[in-house]
Amino acid sequence: MLSIVVVNWNGEVFLENFFTSLENQMYKEFIIYFVDNGSQDNSIKITEKFTRNLNIDIIRLDKNTGFSVANNIGIKKALKDNSNFIITLNNDMELDKSCLYKLNEAIQKFPEYDVFQILMMDYNNRDIIDAAGIEFNKHYYASQIGLGKSLHFLEKLSTDIPGVCAGAAAYSKRALSTIKDHNGNFFDPIYFAYYEDVDLVLRLLKNNFKSKLVKDSIVYHIHSGTGGKESDFKTFYLARNLLIYTKKNLPDTTYKKCLPVYLFRFFIQGFKHLIKGNIKRCKALLNGIRDGLSYKTQR
């Protein structure tokens, strides 16, 4: 059996397609933990309709707690069931009918791996990759492997990857139980949104858990469907959380060497916003930098 944790916030526009694709799965042995972040739309009503054919545990929260807190709540519930792996899925996607079958096949075939990436393809252009995992450059910038590239990119891509994008990933309960923090959290709530899965990747790597891409387990993702493509909110959290995940997970000497690179990148980004006359976006960026720099590590 597989456990699936889905976090939702006002996602009614995505849910019919999302749940229908789960109904159509070849592999049927799964339970869904649907964690609703205080939605004000018809998300709950739509989800309840699908409980006729799907095993869905609806967890209702009073407010938008963010991606990390909501996922942690779902994961803690899932840890009590009989599965060995917990899958995190975004609500703004459609699963290929063989997605869970191929994923479960890989889990059984590669017992030495504790983390698996489901291949994320672009929803509107299904020959274009959205994410085949997470990788880092020499300054520890995280990026989605294969983003915007064609399927041919996969031909030479190793299935051994540094880490996974939590939008469509499977984690063993053993791994999650190992890396949870002293408060019992798996995803760190400090992030609220963006880069929480990058932080998790770095903690999994520190504990020697290996990640594998499953190329034939596929979902079609509406990139930034829930969070939006550009916003002051996103600008704030991307800047803030980059500084937090690097400060938190890198040695102090490495972080200090990389910090000027981050600040120069932010300067260029802010300059572009100024040229466009987007003062609010500049303020969001500056506030994110300030919050990120003020974060105190708990080492």
Side-chain angles (χ1 to χ4, degrees):
M1 188 179 85
L2 297 170
S3 304
I4 300 172
V5 176
V6 182
V7 172
N8 177 75
W9 180 62
N10 293 330
E12 64 177 359
V13 68
F14 308 117
L15 295 180
E16 288 275 354
N17 192 44
F18 175 71
F19 283 125
T20 298
S21 71
L22 281 165
E23 283 184 328
N24 293 334
Q25 287 301 294
M26 294 167 55
Y27 182 87
K28 303 291 187 182
E29 297 177 41
F30 58 88
I31 178 171
I32 303 163
Y33 298 91
F34 183 82
V35 188
D36 186 75
N37 259 329
S39 293
Q40 301 298 309
D41 61 4
N42 291 313
S43 290
I44 296 294
K45 189 177 294 185
I46 293 169
T47 304
E48 288 175 336
K49 181 179 71 173
F50 282 92
T51 58
R52 293 193 294 265
N53 297 319
L54 294 170
N55 187 359
I56 306 176
D57 183 347
I58 300 175
I59 303 165
R60 308 180 194 214
L61 306 182
D62 294 332
K63 61 181 181 179
N64 186 2
T65 62
F67 185 86
S68 294
V69 171
N71 260 302
N72 288 338
I73 290 170
I75 289 170
K76 286 173 184 177
K77 266 211 154 187
L79 284 171
K80 298 175 184 177
D81 66 30
N82 295 322
S83 70
N84 291 319
F85 274 78
I86 297 174
I87 302 168
T88 54
L89 288 179
N90 285 358
N91 62 357
D92 53 353
M93 55 181 47
E94 174 188 316
L95 285 72
D96 181 83
K97 67 179 182 179
S98 65
C99 175
L100 297 183
Y101 177 84
K102 294 294 186 180
L103 173 63
N104 187 63
E105 194 175 57
I107 289 171
Q108 304 305 318
K109 185 177 180 181
F110 301 104
E112 68 273 26
Y113 289 84
D114 282 86
V115 188
F116 293 86
Q117 176 71 63
I118 298 170
L119 178 61
M120 300 170 68
M121 302 297 294
D122 187 276
Y123 184 86
N124 295 307
N125 190 341
R126 299 193 172 196
D127 293 324
I128 299 298
I129 298 168
D130 188 67
I134 287 175
E135 62 185 352
F136 300 89
N137 71 5
K138 65 180 181 180
H139 297 117
Y140 292 90
Y141 280 116
S143 60
Q144 293 172 203
I145 299 172
L147 176 63
K149 297 185 181 296
S150 71
L151 279 170
H152 295 298
F153 175 79
L154 295 174
E155 293 172 3
K156 296 181 179 180
L157 179 66
S158 171
T159 57
D160 288 328
I161 54 177
V164 297
C165 175
Y171 306 89
S172 74
K173 289 183 175 179
R174 181 176 79 97
L176 290 173
S177 296
T178 300
I179 57 83
K180 68 181 178 181
D181 65 22
H182 62 281
N183 292 316
N185 293 313
F186 309 96
F187 291 97
D188 191 336
I190 190 68
Y191 294 100
F192 189 80
Y194 304 113
Y195 290 138
E196 59 284 299
D197 55 351
V198 173
D199 176 84
L200 185 58
V201 166
L202 291 169
R203 287 186 283 132
L204 287 164
L205 285 170
K206 284 179 184 177
N207 285 275
N208 299 314
F209 289 112
K210 298 193 296 182
S211 299
K212 178 171 280 293
L213 167 66
V214 188
K215 294 181 181 181
D216 54 1
S217 176
I218 300 170
V219 297
Y220 301 99
H221 181 224
I222 303 173
H223 190 76
S224 296
T226 301
K229 294 189 181 300
E230 293 292 341
S231 67
D232 298 340
F233 172 91
K234 191 169 183 178
T235 297
F236 170 83
Y237 277 107
L238 286 177
R240 171 188 183 270
N241 292 351
L242 166 66
L243 293 170
I244 290 177
Y245 85 70
T246 50
K247 183 186 286 190
K248 178 184 172 186
N249 292 289
L250 300 182
D252 288 339
T253 52
T254 305
Y255 171 76
K256 288 175 182 177
K257 285 181 181 178
C258 292
L259 183 57
V261 179
Y262 306 150
L263 295 178
F264 180 73
R265 176 175 173 172
F266 293 143
F267 173 79
I268 298 299
Q269 187 179 346
F271 184 69
K272 289 179 179 178
H273 293 320
L274 275 177
I275 291 176
K276 295 177 182 178
N278 198 334
I279 304 302
K280 285 186 65 180
R281 195 65 50 82
C282 282
K283 288 181 178 178
L285 177 62
L286 289 172
N287 287 335
I289 295 169
R290 182 198 63 200
D291 275 23
L293 291 173
S294 65
Y295 172 75
K296 304 295 183 184
T297 57
Q298 298 177 357
R299 292 175 182 168

